[in-house]
Amino acid sequence: MDLPTLESIALSFPGVEKEIKWKSDLVFMVGHKMFFVIDLEGPPHSASFKVADEDFEELAATAHFRPAPYFARHHWVMIDNVSKARIAEWKQYIETSYGLVYEKLPPKKKGEIQDH
């Protein structure tokens, strides 16, 4: 999996913004809340994203995944090499993470996103 494809998937959802944080992390946000992070140092490049509470333990124990440093308590996982997941998997992971974060936004912020 290449970084431009991951970026394209993440940017395909309404209201997504991106910026570089912590020197080398490409962060994707909705309503100023992070939902997907790619570590640009590498290769290989790692990435982190939010998962549903009920999926966290299982995915975090899967090959190439682990609880995301600093974010595991919020049910984020990290994959050690973005090429270890297929495009269909990435689409699902990123869409799920976006949805989980979007749903927790205040109604006013959701309205602003929908209006654009």
Side-chain angles (χ1 to χ4, degrees):
M1 178 59 52
D2 60 86
L3 298 185
T5 301
L6 290 174
E7 183 173 353
S8 175
I9 294 168
L11 291 172
S12 70
F13 302 102
V16 174
E17 300 170 327
K18 68 175 185 174
E19 68 179 63
I20 300 291
K21 291 185 182 245
W22 310 297
K23 296 183 184 176
S24 66
D25 290 321
L26 181 56
V27 177
F28 297 89
M29 299 168 289
V30 59
H32 303 291
K33 302 289 184 184
M34 297 186 311
F35 71 92
F36 183 50
V37 178
I38 302 171
D39 183 354
L40 297 176
E41 288 187 3
H45 301 284
S46 62
S48 300
F49 52 92
K50 186 169 182 58
V51 298
D53 296 355
E54 61 272 13
D55 297 332
F56 176 74
E57 292 295 330
E58 182 180 347
L59 190 56
T62 305
H64 308 294
F65 285 92
R66 62 184 171 108
Y70 310 108
F71 296 108
R73 65 187 174 115
H74 300 292
H75 296 114
W76 279 61
V77 295
M78 184 177 103
I79 186 168
D80 59 13
N81 182 342
V82 297
S83 66
K84 299 295 181 179
R86 298 183 308 256
I87 191 165
E89 293 170 312
W90 275 116
K91 286 179 179 178
Q92 184 60 50
Y93 295 148
I94 296 169
E95 180 179 14
T96 298
S97 184
Y98 173 89
L100 291 166
V101 173
Y102 178 84
E103 285 306 311
K104 295 218 174 190
L105 294 176
K108 182 179 178 184
K109 184 60 78 175
K110 287 181 187 177
E112 292 170 2
I113 292 167
Q114 292 171 355
D115 290 342
H116 284 102

